[in-house]
């Protein structure tokens, strides 16, 4: 009886162990952004996505574990020839991810190796379509063309190339020296152009300054002449007005008796002064007999004045 109980107990233990082993092999926890490719009897059965999944133990097996995350693969340095027959050494980085685990498993043996080789051949092909200068100036266009070409070829593999970045483009040493000489010449040319532009602008500024100074001097001279002319015109007008006023007053006084006497006296005085002036300036003076000396001249003037007085 005891042997029978021991036998039953052993059987129960074996059954329990077998159940645990079966459960362990049938329950599969798939991590996030991963996929398990399951085969049954060597043939594709299903693709298990993230979460809790069940398979048949000893019948189903996980043939491939595919990561659905974006992956970065270094593209080794390689040689390429440009359109103008310049040999370059180019390397880059390829970013891609698996879209279809089934195609990535059964469409290609090693999708990482395959997409890397495809990136190299595509990069050589695209560089062969461009000249050397364009490879440095249009890297974005080159990267876009490489991505487009790879995606067209990698579609059956379930791979999507997100972007391709060229890390470095190294031309031969002779080309580098020629490029450096060209860059130096360009810098010298730009410096000379800037210097000539500076000299030209300085000459223009000096000419404009001289022109402005001449214009200002001419305007100042013009204003001075205008002011002087206005001042002289005002002075002439003032003198003329004063003379007109004097003549008017003389005229008003001349119509009176006192005015007539004053005029006659003034004329007599001026006549005497004229005789004296002639006598001083000329060595020969013709005078009346009675006007040969100063007393006679004075007497004659007095006589004229008395006659004028009696006439009045």
């Amino acid at each position: 009886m005891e042997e029978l109980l021991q036998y039953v107990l052993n059987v129960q233990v074996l059954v329990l162990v077998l159940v645990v082993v079966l459960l362990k092999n049938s329950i599969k926890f798939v991590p996030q952004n991963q996929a398990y490719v399951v085969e049954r009897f060597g043939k594709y059965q299903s693709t298990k996505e993230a979460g809790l999944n069940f398979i048949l133990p000893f019948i189903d097996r996980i043939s491939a574990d595919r990561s659905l995350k974006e992956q970065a693969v270094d593209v080794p340095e390689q040689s390429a020839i440009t359109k103008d027959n310049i040999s370059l050494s180019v390397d880059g980085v390829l970013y891609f991810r698996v879209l279809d685990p089934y195609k990535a498993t059964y469409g290609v043996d090693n999708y990482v190796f395959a997409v890397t080789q495809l990136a190299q051949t595509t990069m050589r092909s695209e560089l062969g379509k461009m000249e050397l200068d364009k490879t440095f100036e249009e890297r974005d266009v080159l990267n876009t063309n490489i991505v487009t070409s790879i995606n067209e070829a990698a579609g059956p593999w379930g791979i999507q190339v997100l972007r391709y970045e060229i890390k470095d483009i190294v031309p031969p040493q002779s080309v580098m020296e020629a490029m450096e000489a060209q860059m130096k010449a360009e810098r010298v040319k730009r410096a000379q152009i800037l210097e000539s532009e500076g000299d030209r602008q300085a000459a223009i500024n000096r000419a404009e300054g001289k022109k402005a100074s001449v214009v200002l001097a001419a305007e100042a001279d013009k204003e001075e002449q205008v002011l002087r002319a206005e001042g002289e015109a005002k002075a002439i007008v003032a003198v003329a007005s004063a003379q007109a006023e004097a003549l008017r007053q003389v005229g008003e006084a001349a119509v009176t008796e006192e005015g007539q006497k004053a005029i006659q006296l003034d004329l007599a005085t001026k006549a005497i002064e004229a005789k004296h002036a002639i006598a001083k300036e000329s060595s020969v003076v013709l005078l009346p007999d009675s006007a040969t000396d100063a007393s006679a001249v004075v007497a004659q003037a007095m006589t004229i004045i008395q006659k004028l007085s009696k006439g009045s």
Side-chain angles (χ1 to χ4, degrees), residues 55-68:
I55 62 174
L56 295 178
F58 307 110
I59 297 176
D60 297 340
R61 75 179 186 89
I62 299 174
S63 63
D65 178 7
R66 300 304 180 200
S67 174
L68 304 181

Side-chain angles (χ1 to χ4, degrees), residues 8-212:
V8 172
L9 181 60
N10 291 336
V11 170
Q12 289 177 351
V13 171
L14 290 175
V15 171
L16 181 60
V17 171
L18 180 61
V19 171
V20 170
V21 171
L22 291 176
L23 289 176
K24 182 178 181 299
N25 290 331
S26 62
I27 297 175
K28 297 297 180 182
F29 294 97
V30 181
Q32 185 67 32
N33 282 336
Q34 283 190 345
Y36 290 169
V37 178
V38 179
E39 293 181 352
R40 181 172 294 175
F41 300 113
K43 183 180 179 180
Y44 172 76
Q45 193 274 331
S46 63
T47 300
K48 304 300 183 182
E49 298 180 351
L52 177 63
N53 294 273
F54 296 92
I55 62 174
L56 295 178
F58 307 110
I59 297 176
D60 297 340
R61 75 179 186 89
I62 299 174
S63 63
D65 178 7
R66 300 304 180 200
S67 174
L68 304 181
K69 300 177 183 179
E70 181 177 347
Q71 303 178 49
V73 177
D74 186 30
V75 179
E77 182 178 343
Q78 61 178 330
S79 297
I81 299 177
T82 62
K83 186 177 180 179
D84 48 355
N85 296 324
I86 302 298
S87 178
L88 302 176
S89 296
V90 187
D91 58 355
V93 180
L94 183 66
Y95 298 87
F96 67 93
R97 64 189 182 94
V98 177
L99 292 180
D100 191 340
Y102 173 80
K103 292 182 179 179
T105 303
Y106 300 103
V108 64
D109 185 26
N110 186 342
Y111 65 88
V112 176
F113 175 77
V115 77
T116 303
Q117 295 299 313
L118 183 59
Q120 288 183 322
T121 57
T122 305
M123 181 167 57
R124 284 196 297 267
S125 176
E126 292 297 328
L127 285 173
K129 301 176 184 178
M130 305 175 67
E131 296 181 354
L132 178 62
D133 294 338
K134 296 295 182 180
T135 59
F136 296 100
E137 298 174 2
E138 300 181 359
R139 282 197 179 189
D140 294 338
V141 177
L142 182 61
N143 294 337
T144 303
N145 293 339
I146 293 174
V147 170
T148 303
S149 300
I150 295 176
N151 281 329
E152 291 177 357
W157 303 340
I159 306 298
Q160 180 188 19
V161 178
L162 302 177
R163 60 188 179 276
Y164 181 85
E165 298 292 339
I166 295 177
K167 292 195 299 184
D168 198 9
I169 299 177
V170 181
Q173 185 64 30
S174 59
V175 176
M176 291 286 293
E177 293 175 356
M179 293 175 62
E180 291 178 359
Q182 182 180 1
M183 293 175 60
K184 182 178 179 181
E186 287 292 334
R187 287 193 294 267
V188 172
K189 176 183 176 182
R190 287 196 295 267
Q192 292 176 350
I193 291 174
L194 291 176
E195 184 178 0
S196 63
E197 288 291 336
D199 295 339
R200 173 176 170 271
Q201 189 62 40
I204 291 174
N205 292 338
R206 287 193 295 268
E208 290 180 351
K210 292 180 180 179
K211 176 183 176 182

